Amino acid sequence: MTPGEVGLSVTNVTDDIDGTRILDGLVFGAPAGRVTALLGPNGAGKSSLLRVVAGIQRPLSGTVHFEGDDLLAMRRRERARRVALVEQDATTELPLTGRAVAALGRTPHEALLGGHDPSSERHVTQALTDAGALPFAERELPTLSGGERQRVLLARALAQQPRLLLLDEPMNHLDIAAQLDVLGLLARLAADGVTVFAAMHDLALAASHADHVVVLSHGRVVASGPTAEALTPDLIHEVYGVRAAWTVNPLTGKPLLAIG
């Protein structure tokens, strides 16, 4: 599948939580080998949608396909070889080192009846390096800051070697330099053929770094498409209640979304 073709396809996905409709007939596609930002106000359904796509949360109805295959019909192990999810504020108080947490991402690639994949250590070290977590890989997770934990959890996902990388607010707890590092990493992964689908709350960062957007409001898709085409000032005012305008970043010369 070449970059730009539909990689992730969601059709008529509907789900409730405790009797409340949180996803309402969602239909959209996200291009393969591109960074797609999932946008929307708090409570729009972004986290629930990511959990549905990851196969963690079963919807009431609808289908989710990736590269033509039904993700919801896959066995967990098969799906974990293709899809990785970095959840928001996922953590543990178990005394595991950052390296041990990242190594959990290799589980889908290990033999079912035991045996060690000799390439696992190399993949884990590379994942820690790419996520910027190598300097604190030997420290236990409860001793790490929020931003450091976020990088370790990203490393675990990278160690899975996914074709579809799902992220729920990946910039959470990160300072601006670290945010730009992660956004650069996502762009490199997409250039290598990984389809990236990331929930973001910072409209300006999403506008500057995402190739494609899907915008949710009250559990429904209200816009989907190339970033500059779908993320219009009128739509932003309607969904977020703020003013916005496209301009040019004086530092990079790239399109910049100004929020006011």
Side-chain angles (χ1 to χ4, degrees):
M1 183 169 293
T2 59
E5 294 182 5
V6 175
L8 173 64
S9 179
V10 171
T11 306
N12 296 325
V13 165
T14 295
D15 203 11
D16 292 352
I17 291 183
D18 297 330
T20 299
R21 181 61 42 95
I22 54 169
L23 302 175
D24 192 358
L26 304 189
V27 178
F28 67 87
R34 294 284 188 264
V35 176
T36 294
L38 176 61
L39 305 174
N42 292 337
K46 300 187 298 296
S47 295
S48 291
L49 173 57
L50 288 175
R51 290 174 65 83
V52 166
V53 173
I56 296 171
Q57 184 172 314
R58 288 282 169 174
L60 291 175
S61 62
T63 60
V64 179
H65 287 80
F66 178 64
E67 295 182 338
D69 297 321
D70 187 343
L71 289 181
L72 302 185
M74 286 183 183
R75 294 181 180 274
R76 180 188 299 181
R77 183 180 177 85
E78 180 186 3
R79 187 169 55 240
R81 290 183 174 186
R82 301 185 56 185
V83 182
L85 169 64
V86 181
E87 292 194 79
Q88 184 178 177
D89 293 326
T91 187
T92 177
E93 294 305 315
L94 293 175
L96 297 175
T97 65
R99 184 177 293 275
V101 171
L104 294 174
R106 298 304 301 165
T107 302
H109 300 277
E110 299 288 351
L112 284 172
L113 300 179
H116 178 66
D117 179 358
S119 70
S120 283
E121 186 173 343
R122 172 172 55 83
H123 286 302
V124 169
T125 297
Q126 187 63 56
L128 288 164
T129 301
D130 291 343
L134 194 60
F136 41 85
E138 308 312 324
R139 289 172 53 193
E140 293 183 354
L141 207 63
T143 72
L144 300 181
S145 69
E148 289 168 340
R149 290 187 186 201
Q150 196 77 358
R151 285 179 177 266
V152 167
L153 296 174
L154 175 58
R156 181 180 65 183
L158 296 180
Q160 284 179 239
Q161 296 180 279
R163 294 283 301 160
L164 173 60
L165 178 60
L166 308 172
L167 306 108
D168 194 355
E169 304 292 358
M171 311 311 159
N172 228 13
H173 308 300
L174 300 180
D175 60 38
I176 186 60
Q179 290 179 16
L180 293 176
D181 284 345
V182 169
L183 289 166
L185 171 61
L186 299 185
R188 293 193 297 275
L189 290 170
D192 287 339
V194 177
T195 299
V196 178
F197 190 50
M200 298 184 188
H201 72 269
D202 190 316
L203 283 176
L205 280 179
S208 298
H209 293 84
D211 306 297
H212 190 93
V213 296
V214 174
V215 185
L216 300 186
S217 181
H218 301 293
R220 297 181 178 181
V221 174
V222 293
S224 177
T227 302
E229 296 177 16
L231 207 55
T232 66
D234 285 346
L235 175 86
I236 292 169
H237 186 267
E238 178 185 344
V239 173
Y240 290 93
V242 299
R243 295 181 303 161
W246 283 98
T247 182
V248 176
N249 189 319
L251 297 178
T252 66
K254 295 181 179 180
L256 173 69
L257 185 65
I259 308 292

